[in-house]
Amino acid sequence: MKLRKGKVIPRDDGKRIEEFVGVASTQTESASVARMRAPPGWSEPAQKPEFDEVVLVLTGELTLVVDGKRERIGAGEVGLVPRGKRVVYRNDSQGACDYWSICAPAFRVELAHMEKPAPKAKAADNHVTVQVAHGQGADYERLLTTWSRDYLKRLGLTDCELSLSLVGDRAIRRLNRTWRQKDKATDVLSFPAGDLPKGTPGPRPLGDVVISLDTAKRQAKEYGRTLESEMGRYLAHGLLHLLGHDHEKPRDAKRMAALEEQLLGERGMVADSLTIDSRARRAKLI
């Protein structure tokens, strides 16, 4: 029989599950088929199911951590989680992940053996302020604020204060000339706040990240990325500089590139520069 519509399983974590075949929808116990949509940043507690599960990703990227080994399943790819393996499902990317899940025997809560999540310690919230000094920048204020809070969370930071400025090429060129003696526009600048005396009350100030919307537009067009993705790269790069990371030495560059990928879910600015440098060195040898 043709199944045009499944049964939506209620969730309180932002994930959407529509089961087409299974115990909840068709009373089928041998197998279940469900379509899932996991929002960015979503994750589940670890589980050790008594069923085999196959996932087929349609769009986005799903991360599986099976017995401690991480696998990223991208669009058009298939992942397998054998029964009896400890697995964590999560979406580390910045976009939603749409995928199909097939379980044999059918998924049942009592067969999933999901672990209880560890109690979360109450942590002070991070504070993010965005100053828009560009005529077309107001539309991106909320997005940059959301990303900033997400990046800080992924880095394990709490009770911090971050300031962002969205400007044009003229303003960032002036800053670049004043503070770095480089008379040209650039993509992003970072101004660390420095350490406060011990015992200073209030959130810890990280400093300021300044992003050029004009440069982001040009670079996004040149490299075939969305404007939002381009600004996300600048934000991750600038934030890591505020935290003391650099890319002058190869070892430091690799560390910073890994952290950018952790924040973005894909290669960032440092990894791209390492690739370009490597190609340039090979060209000299030929």
Side-chain angles (χ1 to χ4, degrees):
M1 59 181 176
K2 184 179 291 188
L3 302 172
R4 299 180 181 275
K5 189 176 181 181
K7 179 177 180 178
V8 177
I9 310 298
R11 300 274 294 203
D12 58 3
D13 60 355
K15 183 182 180 183
R16 186 179 192 276
I17 300 178
E18 185 177 5
E19 186 184 272
F20 287 79
V21 177
V23 176
S25 55
T26 60
Q27 291 75 55
T28 304
E29 296 187 359
S30 57
S32 60
V33 178
R35 186 165 184 174
M36 315 282 199
R37 184 173 180 82
W42 166 86
S43 65
E44 279 185 334
Q47 53 189 285
K48 203 169 184 180
E50 294 183 42
F51 47 77
D52 298 313
E53 181 166 7
V54 175
V55 293
L56 171 59
V57 176
L58 302 178
T59 59
E61 182 181 83
L62 184 67
T63 296
L64 307 177
V65 184
V66 183
D67 282 350
K69 182 179 179 181
R70 185 182 69 170
E71 294 282 357
R72 290 179 172 177
I73 315 300
E77 296 181 332
V78 177
L80 169 65
V81 180
R83 69 187 71 191
K85 298 286 187 178
R86 186 177 185 272
V87 58
V88 174
Y89 295 85
R90 65 186 194 220
N91 180 4
D92 293 338
S93 69
Q94 295 185 44
C97 179
D98 193 6
Y99 67 99
W100 286 95
S101 166
I102 301 97
C103 300
F107 174 89
R108 295 208 309 268
V109 173
E110 59 268 27
L111 295 182
H113 301 297
M114 192 172 292
E115 298 175 6
K116 291 183 179 180
K120 294 182 179 179
K122 188 175 181 181
D125 292 335
N126 292 307
H127 301 268
V128 178
T129 59
V130 180
Q131 297 181 353
V132 177
H134 191 290
Q136 301 172 359
D139 292 341
Y140 305 103
E141 180 178 353
R142 180 176 295 180
L143 181 63
L144 288 171
T145 301
T146 300
W147 279 349
S148 296
R149 288 174 176 160
D150 179 59
Y151 291 174
L152 292 169
K153 181 180 178 181
R154 292 187 183 209
L155 292 168
L157 296 173
T158 58
D159 200 21
C160 291
E161 188 172 48
L162 173 65
S163 175
L164 305 178
S165 295
L166 192 57
V167 303
D169 274 353
R170 181 179 297 180
I172 207 166
R173 178 177 180 176
R174 185 167 59 249
L175 290 169
N176 207 21
R177 181 174 62 243
T178 301
W179 296 101
R180 301 176 69 226
Q181 291 74 54
K182 295 185 178 182
D183 191 14
K184 63 179 181 178
T186 188
D187 39 31
V188 59
L189 292 173
S190 298
F191 299 95
D195 295 328
L196 293 176
K198 290 184 178 180
T200 302
R204 168 194 168 194
L206 300 179
D208 299 85
V209 173
V210 183
I211 293 173
S212 172
L213 182 56
D214 294 334
T215 298
K217 287 182 176 181
R218 287 198 308 275
Q219 296 282 70
K221 185 176 181 180
E222 180 177 351
Y223 293 105
R225 292 187 284 261
T226 65
L227 176 57
E228 291 80 3
S229 173
E230 191 70 13
M231 287 194 294
R233 288 161 57 88
Y234 297 174
L235 175 58
H237 190 82
L239 174 58
L240 291 174
H241 272 312
L242 289 186
L243 297 174
H245 296 282
D246 213 327
H247 44 85
E248 296 300 321
K249 298 179 181 179
R251 182 176 180 180
D252 295 336
K254 289 181 180 179
R255 171 61 176 163
M256 189 169 177
L259 287 170
E260 283 186 339
E261 185 170 347
Q262 176 186 330
L263 297 180
L264 297 168
E266 60 185 6
R267 289 162 54 94
M269 296 173 69
V270 177
D272 285 351
S273 68
L274 290 175
T275 301
I276 293 171
D277 291 345
S278 177
R279 289 173 180 170
R281 286 194 296 270
R282 287 201 300 269
K284 290 180 180 180
L285 295 174
I286 295 175

